[in-house]
Amino acid sequence: MEMRLPPGALICEVELPQPVRYGGVTPVYIRVFVDGAFYRRAICYYRVTVYENILVAVHDLMIEKPVAAADVRVEERSVTGNAGQYLTSPEELMGRVPVRMIRAGSPLGKDMLQNPVIIESGAPVTLLASFNGVEVKTDGVALQKGRKGAVIRVRNARSGKMLRGRVVDAATVEILNGK
């Protein structure tokens, strides 16, 4: 941007009319004063890019295969539009597996990993139910694969009743709402 100005003392006021949009175009308003009197207004547009040290896959990471610290490297990358959504520390990988195949060189996003399957369909499990402070345990069978925290269908081994519960660990499912 070029602006011809008359001689005198210059003062420039700069204003951001909206929050900075990472990766998008951000307007910047500039007001120019000469000897204390308003002279001209200009608008400049900037593209702001944020860089962060994030984890990047060293080689292709296969679905359901646990990811280790040796499978990734830290690299400075543009995080435009996704700041805070990428993994930054190998500790965030502990015990996690890819949701889908991740190509070598791809940044690892938080939504790209999940807990591994810890209960297989048909596995014997302990069903845990709580009602009014009373806790009941019984034998059951998982009817679906399950990850820690996931809700799966199970069958009570004694009554044959189908239930839904949240996976607590590799051998325990907590029944939801007593159903």
Side-chain angles (χ1 to χ4, degrees), residues 15-121:
E15 176 188 356
L16 292 171
Q18 60 191 32
V20 174
R21 292 182 44 216
Y22 299 128
V25 176
T26 300
V28 177
Y29 295 169
I30 302 169
R31 285 186 299 281
V32 179
F33 296 83
V34 178
D35 291 330
F38 176 76
Y39 178 73
R40 188 168 285 160
R41 184 175 82 120
I43 301 175
C44 298
Y45 295 92
Y46 291 92
R47 183 175 304 278
V48 178
T49 305
V50 176
Y51 291 87
E52 189 174 351
N53 289 326
I54 60 174
L55 297 181
V56 175
V58 171
H59 53 82
D60 289 351
L61 304 176
M62 306 313 276
I63 189 168
E64 295 296 331
K65 184 177 179 218
V67 181
D71 297 327
V72 298
R73 69 177 176 271
V74 176
E75 197 173 287
E76 186 177 72
R77 288 274 185 103
S78 166
V79 292
T80 303
N82 292 324
Q85 298 302 311
Y86 291 108
L87 301 178
T88 58
S89 168
E91 288 79 35
E92 295 175 275
L93 302 171
M94 295 306 218
R96 309 289 303 262
V97 296
V99 172
R100 58 178 171 77
M101 190 181 95
I102 301 170
R103 294 272 182 212
S106 298
L108 272 66
K110 292 180 180 180
D111 61 344
M112 298 169 95
L113 300 175
Q114 62 187 350
N115 291 326
V117 172
I118 58 174
I119 294 180
E120 293 293 333
S121 181

Side-chain angles (χ1 to χ4, degrees), residues 119-125 140-146 152-155:
I119 294 180
E120 293 293 333
S121 181
V125 293
V141 176
L143 300 176
Q144 295 175 290
K145 291 181 179 182
I152 63 170
R153 291 182 309 124
V154 293
R155 184 178 65 237

